[in-house]
Amino acid sequence: MTTENWQDGGFGLYIHWPFCQAKCPYCDFNSHVVAEVDQKRWERAYLSEIDRIGAETGNRVLHSVFFGGGTPSLMEPALVGAILDRVRATWPASNDMEITLEANPTSVESGRFAGYRDAGVNRVSMGIQALNDSDLRRLGRLHSVAEARAAFDIARKTFDRVSFDLIYARQKQSLADWRDELTAALAMAADHLSLYQLTIEPGTAFGARFARGGLKGLPQEDLAGDLYQMTQELCEKAGMPGYEISNHARPGAESRHNMIYWRHGDYAGIGPGAHGRLTLGGDRFATDTPLQPGVWLNAVEQRGNGENPRTPLSPMDQGAEYLLMGLRLRDGISLKRHESLSGTPLDPNKIKYLSDIGMIRHVGDTLCATSEGRVVLNAILRELLPE
Amino acid sequence: MTELAYIRNFSIVAHIDHGKSTLADRLIQLTGTVAERDMKEQLLDAMDIERERGITIKANTVRIEYPAKDGHTYVLNLIDTPGHVDFAYEVSRSMRAVEGSLLVVDATQGVEAQTLANVYQAIEANHEIIPVLNKIDLPAADVDRVAEQIEDVIGIDATDAVQISAKTGIGIPDVLEAIVTRLPPPHEGDRNAPLKAMLVDSKYDPYLGVVVIVRIIDGVLKKGQRIRMMKTGGTYDVDKVGVYRPAMVAVDALGPGEIGFLTASIKQVRDTRVGDTITTEKNGCATALPGFKPSIPVVFCGLFPVDSAEFEDLRDAIEKLALNDASFSYEMETSAALGFGFRCGFLGLLHLEVIRDRLEREYGIDLITTAPSVVYNIFMKDGEVRELHNPADMPDMTLVDHIKEPRIKATIMVPDEFLGDVLKLCQDRRGIQLDMTYAGSRAMVVYDLPLNEVVFDFYDRLKSVTKGYASFDYQMIGYREDNLVKMQILVNDEPVDALSTMVHRDRAEGRGRAMVEKLKELIPRHMFKIPIQAAVGGRVVARETLSAMRKDVTAKCYGGDATRKKKLLEKQKAGKKKMRQFGKVEIPQQAFINALKMDD
């Protein structure tokens, strides 16, 4: 078998758990709040989907599993265990397979951490979001800073690898405020941090408030730029350099699962609203599933297939995706690989122009955004993407 | 053909929104000219743009039959004239075609500047004028005050003003009776004399070719006649003669005093000049009607396709429009910045907007409109005199002896609480005060202003400083020398010719500062910083620096986001096409017009 392009990125499995206790006002992920979930019924559906995808890809080595949501820490450890048992029975696992679960930092959820570890989870990613109680309330979070710290301590004792998320560039947040908060976060940090600037997404509660003229005091572009730059510097000094636009890790502790996305690997997506990219028979397909939990469940139970019809990706689409995902990484992309995906090389004039103004660096086969370039990556991409 | 004694020809003079079109609709309705079910708002305004903006661009006519109280049935011909200053010449011709006017004044608003300009045209045409006070049903109506104002400002007797509400129909029968009893019949015309008819206006009809509105002075117009246009010299066979009711109805002939239309297989509206005299080819009349003048564009601007691939489409569209509008001129223009386009001449700003709207709407072409400019007379040292339509073509100043610019007489009516703001605006625009009088609490100020200070955003500014309460009209009064210079704009050190303007030397710094500040807001940030400069003759008079983009990146982008983010970027990339590239800088199309808008 010839080496397929996806193998440069690896192969992972994404499991989407679509339920939350409450919807956060900034979140545009596929999440739903319901009174009760029949976890047994969901288990059957997930296992059925693993079997179906496994039949197409079962000979591949699996590098990672990621439970995302929603709030996957609302899953019973038994459900996570059943899924991981089936995963191991379906695909040969790489030696160091990463199994991540997203968790909210509440006491109820941290009570389940040992169960998740016993089921096979070896990394958690915690949605701490802020180290400031009033901002946590503003962000609609159900936990306090003290509760988050307690949950985080349990996580560190339970798992080798722990990451957490913070949201910054919040309303009325000054450079000094963020410096203090980030310094505290770096003192807590284990090996990985995701630091996201608050983004107002359409279709969210914040989106609606913002459209009505609410949410005053969000940083303007210049302050947002300063906040980003300061974040890079502080993390770098603390030994957790940014390896992606919003992700920081001690060397070697990068999220292997997310690297599959950014390196244009293959990933199967299971669960309502889960996306996937699968290279099958020489073609690469984008997969997705119905967003509504009930619709997805019925499709799996009645048709034995939770996916919407697959969309083949043209060489141009593949090149564009590689570019827009890959340039998020500090290490950038391979121009040869881009050309083999898209069938056309990037415009050398554009590369020269962007290099001349210091936005990208082109060394040998590698093209990457400079630190000045990464913060305006969308502008770089608008130049580089084909007409 | 109707006897002269039973014909009344009239026009309606009114400020915009004072109810001219509604009154016309009511007259048509009440006389049963149009069946109830065919009634729609503004029957006479045919173009979409006319209906939408509530303005009249083309003259329209309608023939109404009215059984008067004296037992006779009268033929009333209404000519609905364009009301805007851009079309002052067309208005004057329409006025010459009728003997009387209804002066419609909104009883809640009073006399406005546009009313004045048009009523003076009516007075000049020796019209009998019937004042009509409209909107008397509204609580804010002040009939006595407005009647007094008509007497004070216009100087006509308003004691017998007809009081109406065109909206509810109050007083409409009184208007009809007043037309019959107070307006004179057409002046003597000789049915047996050679044909002499005035070309009032014309428009293109896709089925009939050009339709010409005519007023018969002498003789008889009949189907089959071979006619001659005395100024343009064209000869045509008359296919059809008729009247508007307001639908076209054929008649056998039109005699003296009558107003109607003819068609004669005329292909281009350009061949039919407003004010021309129509006669028969053989045994025609000896002298043409007085007062004909060809229309001369006074405002010029460049029109460029946003997508340069649409240049040929734009050429086709402009040629088609020009066939139907003799007052619109065009020639090809090449701009280093904007590529191929056309330098177009217009009667005024409204005319410019109408043409631009039609190009965009009827022909689907996205346009970049450059700053409007007036026509300067450049007196060269070698004695040559050049007409400058485009600041980009300004010759080397060392070869220029002096420059003259067009001036206007502007009449502004404004409630006295805003008078100070209006005077300041006029002074700031290099105005010279000619007159100031009061009528009640309204002031009328008359200024001599350079057209180039008015041509762009004067009216917007006037509306804004007076909260919309001022009215404004103007007429051209000739050319005068002044200290004018060409100001260039440099973006990232490259001159952008489409942003060049002519300014008064003393105002160059102020204008330049305002423009570079405006451009700093209008040009989006780039990945590098961009100097924006205004320069006169190589000397920088104002400078701003647009900072480099600080942040434009998506915070979260994982497996589920790839498709959406790619679409978003593609959309943004497509948005870039709405910009023009100058060296490394992209300038959005709106910047070319908005950069000139002054916030004084």
Side-chain angles (χ1 to χ4, degrees), chain B residues 247-553:
Chain B
M248 296 168 90
V249 177
V251 297
D252 293 336
L254 290 172
E258 291 193 297
I259 293 170
F261 70 84
L262 70 83
T263 67
S265 305
I266 305 170
K267 294 203 174 52
Q268 302 177 7
V269 171
R270 223 172 231 301
D271 297 331
T272 55
R273 297 298 172 100
V274 170
D276 203 348
T277 306
I278 299 172
T279 186
T280 46
E281 189 185 19
K282 284 184 187 148
N283 306 319
C285 63
T287 53
L289 294 160
F292 174 84
K293 65 178 188 200
S295 53
I296 299 162
V298 293
V299 177
F300 284 78
C301 77
L303 297 177
F304 294 84
V306 170
D307 179 355
S308 52
E310 285 189 335
F311 173 74
E312 286 303 327
D313 299 337
L314 176 61
R315 182 206 296 276
D316 282 353
I318 282 183
E319 282 173 357
K320 281 196 189 113
L321 278 187
L323 290 182
N324 289 309
D325 187 346
S327 51
F328 161 55
S329 72
Y330 65 97
E331 60 186 19
M332 220 181 104
E333 180 183 5
T334 318
S335 151
L338 301 174
F340 291 110
F342 292 92
R343 191 82 191 162
C344 301
F346 306 92
L347 295 176
L349 277 182
L350 177 74
H351 189 213
L352 183 161
E353 282 176 31
V354 166
I355 297 274
R356 189 189 59 201
D357 276 10
R358 292 187 64 186
L359 287 170
E360 292 202 317
R361 214 185 293 201
E362 293 170 29
Y363 297 90
I365 301 170
D366 278 339
L367 293 173
I368 295 174
T369 312
T370 65
S373 164
V374 301
V375 179
Y376 296 92
N377 288 337
I378 313 289
F379 293 79
M380 307 296 289
K381 285 186 175 146
D382 64 6
E384 186 196 352
V385 182
R386 295 189 193 174
E387 273 195 1
L388 182 75
H389 293 177
N390 185 350
D393 300 334
M394 179 69 195
D396 186 342
M397 274 310 275
T398 57
L399 305 174
V400 173
D401 186 69
H402 65 280
I403 303 173
K404 283 186 178 177
E405 66 175 340
R407 312 263 317 186
I408 58 162
K409 182 173 140 190
T411 304
I412 298 164
M413 307 219 39
V414 60
D416 53 10
E417 64 200 282
F418 301 115
L419 181 62
D421 300 304
V422 171
L423 296 182
K424 180 173 185 309
L425 176 65
C426 292
Q427 292 299 139
D428 285 349
R429 300 297 173 104
R430 298 194 278 135
I432 300 165
Q433 199 182 86
L434 300 179
D435 194 11
M436 184 165 78
T437 51
Y438 280 93
S441 64
R442 285 174 78 80
M444 183 175 88
V445 289
V446 182
Y447 261 86
D448 171 340
L449 280 159
L451 181 62
N452 91 335
E453 299 283 348
V454 172
V455 83
F456 193 65
D457 63 342
F458 182 83
Y459 193 49
D460 288 345
R461 293 296 309 153
L462 182 68
K463 274 194 289 193
S464 122
V465 301
T466 62
K467 301 192 165 64
Y469 283 109
S471 57
F472 163 68
D473 211 330
Y474 71 86
Q475 63 191 93
M476 300 282 294
I477 50 173
Y479 275 72
R480 190 180 314 150
E481 182 182 344
D482 217 327
N483 188 4
L484 297 159
V485 289
K486 173 181 164 183
M487 186 167 73
Q488 273 195 315
I489 298 292
L490 296 96
V491 175
N492 209 24
D493 301 322
E494 302 210 21
V496 179
D497 56 2
L499 288 169
S500 293
T501 47
M502 297 295 294
V503 293
H504 190 269
R505 185 67 197 78
D506 295 345
R507 292 186 28 101
E509 276 84 350
R511 275 253 139 152
R513 169 122 318 275
M515 272 186 79
V516 296
E517 280 170 7
K518 215 45 185 271
L519 283 166
K520 191 180 163 191
E521 289 165 29
L522 292 166
I523 300 174
R525 288 184 177 191
H526 283 53
M527 287 179 275
F528 43 89
K529 66 175 190 218
I530 300 168
I532 305 170
Q533 296 156 295
V536 171
R539 195 174 71 84
V540 173
V541 295
R543 180 195 163 100
E544 281 286 332
T545 303
L546 175 63
S547 326
M549 184 188 287
R550 284 302 313 279
K551 183 180 165 283
D552 184 3
V553 65

Side-chain angles (χ1 to χ4, degrees), chain B residues 10 67 105 131 151 160 221 237 254 264 314 346 507 536 557 570:
Chain B
F10 67 104
V105 180
E151 295 186 353
D160 294 327
L221 176 69
D237 292 319
L254 290 172
L314 176 61
F346 306 92
R507 292 186 28 101
V536 171
C557 195
E570 279 165 355

Side-chain angles (χ1 to χ4, degrees), chain A residues 319-331:
Chain A
E321 283 192 3
Y322 179 51
L323 200 65
L324 84 95
M325 299 302 276
L327 284 180
R328 296 182 67 83
L329 292 171
R330 178 192 51 209
D331 295 341

Side-chain angles (χ1 to χ4, degrees), chain A residues 196-197 221-222 382 385, chain B residues 525 550-551 558 572-573:
Chain A
Y196 302 113
Q197 288 213 352
E221 187 184 336
D222 287 342
R382 285 192 291 269
L385 286 173
Chain B
R525 288 184 177 191
R550 284 302 313 279
K551 183 180 165 283
Y558 296 104
Q572 291 175 352
K573 178 134 187 143

Side-chain angles (χ1 to χ4, degrees), chain B residues 149-160:
Chain B
Q149 200 196 16
I150 290 173
E151 295 186 353
D152 285 356
V153 178
I154 303 172
I156 59 172
D157 183 4
T159 17
D160 294 327

